[in-house]
Amino acid sequence: MTATSNLLVELFVEELPPKALQKLGDAFAGVLRDQLAAQGLAAAGAPLTAYASPRRLAAHIEGVLAQAPDKAVSQKLMPVAVGLAADGQPTPALLKKLAALGADAGAVPGLKRVHDGKAEVLYYESTAQGATLAQGLQKALDEAIAKLPIPKVMRYQLEDGWTSVHFVRPAHGLVALHGAAVVPVAALGLAAGNATQGHRFEAAVQPVVLRDADSYAEQLRAQGAVIAGFAERRAEIARQLRAAAEKLGGGVRPIEDDALLDEVTALVERPNVLVCQFEQEFLAVPQECLILTMKANQKYFPLLDAEGRLTHRFLVVSNISPQDAGAVIQGNERVVRPRLADAKFFFDQDRKKTLASRVAQLSKVVYHNQLGSQGERVERVRAIAKAIGQQLFAALAERHELQGTQDGEIAQDWLLTCVDNAALLAKADLVTDMVGEFPELQGIMGGYYAVNDGLPDEVAHAIEDHYKPRFAGDELPRENVGLVVALADKIETLVGMFGIGNLPTGDRDPFALRRHALGVIRMLMEKDLPLDLGALLAGAVPAFAGRIDDPSALLADFVYDRLAGALREQGYSPQEVDAVLALRPQRLALVEKQLAAVRAFSALPESQALAAANKRVSNILKKAGGDVHAHVNPELLREQAEQDLYAALQRFVPEADAQFGRGDYTASLQTLAVLRAPVDAFFDDVMVNAEQLDLRLNRLGLLKTLHEAMNRVADLSRLAA
C-alpha cells in the first residue's frame, strides 16, 4: 500500500466576510476531506483540522495517500442475446460498447454472465487504477471552492489582465503540502506552493515558507504572528478579555456575547485586548443604547460592574501589539465618543415628546399591505388584550392570585386600564429617533420613555416586555399586564398572518411565526395561565373585522406542532408527547402534569396491556361509527366478564374522576390501572359484535364508557408498543 502523509491545503485571500468566516472554514475543510475520502485517498473519518482567519482558509487532513489503491470495477454491458450472435461471436453493438471502455474483441471470452431474474446479462470486469493525490486533490479543491457557502460572490481579474474568476474575495496564494512535498494543483489562477503570508505588520519573516504540512499552525504563530485556528483564536480573545477585566478589579466583567466574540475572532489574526474609557456623563443614557452602540458599530466589549451596570470602561480587541498602545487606545476612544454623543442626543430629543403624542404617527407606518398600518395593528392588539385580560384577571381573582395595588373588582379594572394603556403605547417608540437608529431597542426604549412620562411601572414594564420572549431561553414578561400584552401582540401576528395565508415554508419565516408560537406556548405553560388555547386564537379573529379568513383550526395545528417539538427537546419521548397532544389539550399549563402522569403510568406493569386494549377499543368504536354513547344498561349485561368490567368501572372511575378534577393526573391513571384484569377477561370471554342489536349496542356503550374514563389524561392507545 502507498505510504500516507498528512495534507495541508491553504487558500490565502483578502479579508473574508467576518460573520461567515467560521462557516466558510468548516465547509472548505469538510468538503476537501469528503472528496478525498470518496476517491479512496483518505479515510472517511480522517482526523481533520479546519483553519480560518481573516485572510485564509485552510485544512489539515491526516493519513492521506499519495495514490489511491486500485479497485475492481464490474460494468453491466447488455443482455447476452444482444451482445452475442448465435455462434457465440460478439455483435457490433457489443464491440462498440467494449471500445468505449477501452477494450476490444479479445475481452469477450472473459466477460461474465449473470442472470438478473429476466435474462442473462454480460458484465465486463476490469481494474481501475487509483487516482493520484494530484488528480484527486485537484478535483477535491475544485469541489470545495464551488460548494463554499459564500454570502456574496465577487468577480475580479487575474494578473494577466484578461482572465476573470468568481470567488468570495480575491485570492493571492495557494499552499498544498503532502508531508513536505508540494502537490501540483491549481485554483483561481494560482499554482500551489509551500509559502504563505503572515501578519500584515508583525510577521517576523515574509513570506512564511512552510517546512511541511504539520508545521503550518506553529510556523504561522512563531514566524507569521498569526493564530490560524478560529477556535484557538477565540479562546485567546476570551482569555485576554477576562484577564483585562480582572486587572481592573471591583468585580468588573466583560459583557457576554457569543456572536460578538465570533465576529471579533473573524476580524483579527493576532488579538491584543486593550482597556479604553469614555466620559462618565454618557452613563445617564440608558445602558442598552450605549452597549448596542459599542457592540454593533465598533465591535467593542462593554464592561459591567458586579451588579451588572455599565461602567465607563470598555475593551477593544486590536489586531496589532505596539510597544506603546496609547495611540491605539486614544484612537478608539476618539471614535466611540461621537457615537455615544449621538445616542445621548437621540435620548434627550425623544423625551421631549410623550409616547401618547406619537401614537397618531403609527397610522402612517405600514405594517403589511393586507393588514394595514401599525396604527390599525395597535387597535387590534388593544381589542385582543382586553379580551385576554378580562378572562385572565377574573380567573386569577378566583384563584386569589391577582396582582395589583387593590383588591377585587377594582383591582381588575385598574389592571385592565394598564393593559389598554400598554397596548396603545407599546409600538409608539417605533417612531422615535433612538429606535429609528437602533431597531433592536424597540420596546426597551418604550419602557424608558413610559417612565419618563410618569406612567405606572406595570405599563412601563409591559411596554418593554411585550416583545418577550425574543429568542429561545429569553426571559418572559415580569407581570400579568405584560403577559397579557405580549400574548395579544403575538396572537395578533399569528392570526393575521395565517388569516391572509402568509405561512412559514421550509426554512423561511420572515415574520418569525414559529418564534411567536413558541412564545405563546412558553407564557401559557411556564406562567401557569388559566387560559384555553382555542379560545385565545378564535377570540382574536373578530379584531380583524372581516379582513381575514378564520385560521383558528390551522393555527392550532401549527401551535401543537411547535409544542410537540419543544417537548421532545425537553426529553419527553415521542410516544408520551403523542399520547397527550392527541387530545388537543386546551390548557397548555397542564400539559407537563399530564406528561408526568403518562410517564408514571408507562412504568406500571399493567401499562402495555391497557394501552393495547385501549387501541383495540378505539378501533372497535371507530368501526362502529359515531352513534355510540357512553351508556350502559346493567340488565343487558349477560356475561360474567362484562358484569365484572362494569362493576370495576362503577367502583374505580368515580375515584379516578375525582383525582382528575383535583389535577392529580398521576393518581387518576394509577387508579385506573386496576382495570387491566377485567378488561383482559372481557376481551377473552365477550363477543362485542353480538347478533342481538341491544346486546351489541350495550357492549359498545360499555367500551365507550371505558374509553372515556381511560383517556381523560392522554390517549393511552398511543403508548402501545
Side-chain angles (χ1 to χ4, degrees), residues 177 194 205 208-226:
L177 288 175
N194 65 346
V205 297
V208 177
V209 179
L210 302 172
R211 295 188 299 272
D212 52 45
D214 293 343
S215 68
Y216 175 72
E218 180 269 323
Q219 278 191 261
L220 264 182
R221 186 160 193 159
Q223 301 174 18
V226 170

Side-chain angles (χ1 to χ4, degrees), residues 77-78 82-83 90-105 108:
L77 300 177
M78 60 190 63
V82 177
T91 63
L94 178 58
L95 293 173
K96 184 177 180 180
K97 182 71 173 177
L98 288 171
L101 297 174
D104 55 21
V108 173

Side-chain angles (χ1 to χ4, degrees), residues 315-591:
L315 301 178
V316 173
V317 183
S318 174
N319 194 36
I320 56 175
S321 303
Q323 289 185 345
D324 181 6
V328 178
I329 292 172
Q330 290 175 13
N332 282 283
E333 291 175 346
R334 186 169 58 251
V335 167
V336 79
R337 194 171 293 116
R339 294 285 189 178
L340 301 182
D342 286 346
K344 185 176 186 303
F345 175 77
F346 293 145
F347 184 58
D348 292 340
Q349 291 298 112
D350 285 342
R351 288 183 296 169
K352 293 178 180 178
K353 292 177 65 176
T354 65
L355 286 175
S357 69
R358 297 179 184 274
V359 172
Q361 292 177 253
L362 294 174
S363 62
K364 300 176 183 177
V365 179
V366 175
Y367 169 56
H368 190 280
N369 59 355
Q370 290 178 261
L371 296 173
S373 67
Q374 284 285 3
E376 292 172 289
R377 185 176 179 226
V378 163
E379 292 305 313
R380 293 194 294 266
V381 172
R382 289 178 72 187
I384 296 168
K386 180 180 179 182
I388 295 174
Q390 289 174 334
Q391 183 181 349
L392 176 62
F393 297 146
L396 292 178
E398 284 186 22
R399 292 187 347 190
H400 305 289
E401 297 176 7
L402 192 63
Q403 297 175 2
T405 58
Q406 304 174 65
D407 296 326
E409 294 181 5
I410 297 176
Q412 292 184 49
D413 290 342
W414 182 78
L415 288 171
L416 283 171
T417 300
C418 289
V419 165
D420 189 58
N421 284 340
L424 174 66
L425 303 175
K427 305 297 180 185
D429 66 355
L430 295 177
V431 292
T432 62
D433 291 338
M434 185 70 82
V435 175
E437 180 72 14
F438 300 111
E440 301 91 336
L441 294 176
Q442 54 190 285
I444 295 171
M445 296 313 304
Y448 279 107
Y449 297 145
V451 171
N452 183 71
D453 294 347
L455 296 173
D457 287 345
E458 286 81 358
V459 174
H461 292 166
I463 292 172
E464 179 182 348
D465 290 352
H466 84 281
Y467 288 107
K468 295 177 181 176
R470 291 180 172 89
F471 49 85
D474 189 19
E475 61 185 14
L476 300 179
R478 288 161 280 186
E479 298 155 348
N480 287 329
V481 174
L483 283 168
V484 170
V485 180
L487 278 171
D489 183 66
K490 287 170 176 57
I491 289 172
E492 190 278 339
T493 302
L494 288 164
V495 171
M497 291 302 163
F498 269 74
I500 60 174
N502 199 349
L503 280 59
T505 57
D507 59 352
R508 281 189 52 77
D509 188 7
F511 288 91
L513 301 184
R514 294 184 181 92
R515 178 166 56 80
H516 284 313
L518 287 171
V520 171
I521 289 167
R522 282 191 59 200
M523 285 186 278
L524 292 176
M525 293 182 70
E526 295 177 29
K527 292 295 185 178
D528 191 22
L529 299 184
L531 299 171
D532 288 0
L533 177 64
L536 286 175
L537 301 180
V541 175
F544 289 84
R547 296 179 75 159
I548 62 170
D549 297 325
D550 187 346
S552 302
L554 181 62
L555 182 51
D557 290 341
F558 179 76
V559 174
Y560 283 120
D561 283 345
R562 305 280 78 70
L563 175 57
L567 292 172
R568 287 193 293 268
E569 288 179 2
Q570 291 175 31
Y572 295 103
S573 72
Q575 292 80 9
E576 292 168 343
V577 173
D578 191 29
V580 171
L581 297 192
L583 301 185
R584 286 295 192 261
Q586 292 301 299
R587 291 284 176 93
L588 300 193
L590 302 177
V591 164

